[in-house]
Amino acid sequence: MSLFALIRSDFAAIRGRDPAARGKLETALTYPGLHAIVAYRVAHGLWQSGWRGTARVVSYLARMVTGIDIHPGAKIGPGFFIDHGAGVVIGETAEVGRDVTLYHGVTLGGVSWSPGKRHPTLGDGVMVGAGAKILGPILVGGGARVGANSVVVEPVPAGATVVGIPARIVQAERPPSTDPFRVDLNHHLMPDPVGRTLARLADRIAFLEARLAARDEALAKHADQCVARTRMAGQRPGLRPDLFN
């Protein structure tokens, strides 16, 4: 795609995914994520043309203005959207697919000083929540979601949802997104495995308490019946030894 077509796709992604983007002029002037990706597109073109020093200068100036650090050597597909752009870091060997959404504070970082592939690869339609860190040359499959403040250090299957430190899969399959860009932005609907476990334990405790209460009631009723029978027979009231066995 041409530079102009890529920028148009990034602009359309903002207009399509963010209801706060009211007018075209307002969007163009007030979205630092858009400014950062436009600067990256220019810097990346310079980087590929061999003007790497100039590309780094453009990237540095964009970082000063937007607070978003995208290395010009990274590969980012069309329809890229950084919502509430601030504090995002994308390393040199990172690869990002089509229609990817990042929130503020996301890091696509490396874990090695060795040259070569050091940063993650994000498939098409991935959504990464605020403050999440994806580290190392791992693959986050298409359509996956990364919960806010998660630390991802292992590959994520396509369509999965991961949360936690380190991130763990909490949902393997989800209904298809109805978003026109096929990006699931319902990041507030992350599953809560700990909450589900506690709810199961609470249900189990309630069941056991009800069962014990029913048993106590049955034993008390049986004891009353035994006392009544012994009195009717003119015997001294008492309980059988095996009553509570």
Side-chain angles (χ1 to χ4, degrees):
M1 296 179 66
S2 67
L3 176 62
F4 182 70
L6 287 170
I7 294 175
R8 284 187 60 187
S9 70
D10 299 328
F11 185 81
I14 297 175
R15 300 277 297 162
R17 297 178 208 168
D18 189 355
R22 297 178 181 85
K24 293 183 178 180
L25 181 60
E26 176 185 333
T27 302
L29 294 177
T30 62
Y31 274 74
L34 177 62
H35 304 156
I37 191 62
V38 170
Y40 156 78
R41 300 293 186 197
V42 174
H44 183 66
L46 293 170
W47 182 271
Q48 290 185 314
S49 299
W51 294 79
R52 299 199 166 184
T54 305
R56 292 301 301 270
V57 170
V58 172
S59 177
Y60 177 71
L61 293 175
R63 177 183 178 180
M64 290 179 61
V65 173
T66 65
I68 298 171
D69 185 1
I70 306 177
H71 194 285
K75 299 177 181 178
I76 300 178
F80 185 60
F81 177 34
I82 302 176
D83 199 1
H84 298 285
V88 172
V89 177
I90 300 177
E92 176 185 6
T93 62
E95 299 178 45
V96 178
R98 303 174 63 94
D99 300 327
V100 170
T101 301
L102 307 184
Y103 284 81
H104 53 282
V106 170
T107 298
L108 306 183
V111 293
S112 172
W113 295 102
S114 302
K117 178 68 172 172
R118 307 184 305 279
H119 301 89
T121 297
L122 275 57
D124 297 343
V126 170
M127 193 286 297
V128 185
K133 316 300 177 187
I134 306 177
L135 306 176
I138 60 176
L139 173 64
V140 178
R145 293 192 302 170
V146 179
N149 293 317
S150 300
V151 178
V152 183
V153 292
E154 295 181 355
V156 178
T161 298
V162 295
V163 298
I165 303 175
R168 294 286 184 265
I169 296 174
V170 294
Q171 187 173 4
E173 297 181 358
R174 301 190 310 277
S177 173
T178 57
D179 187 276
F181 283 84
R182 300 183 182 276
V183 177
D184 189 351
L185 297 180
N186 293 319
H187 55 287
H188 63 294
L189 301 179
M190 292 292 181
D192 183 4
V194 176
R196 287 201 301 261
T197 301
L198 292 175
R200 293 193 199 100
L201 289 174
D203 290 342
R204 181 63 177 171
I205 291 171
F207 168 75
L208 292 175
E209 288 178 342
R211 185 173 179 180
L212 287 173
R215 182 178 180 182
D216 290 344
E217 183 179 353
L219 288 173
K221 184 177 181 180
H222 183 68
D224 291 341
Q225 291 174 350
C226 290
V227 171
R229 283 197 296 265
T230 55
R231 286 177 176 173
M232 290 177 62
Q235 300 175 3
R236 183 179 178 181
L239 299 178
R240 300 202 321 265
D242 62 340
L243 180 61
F244 296 96
N245 290 342

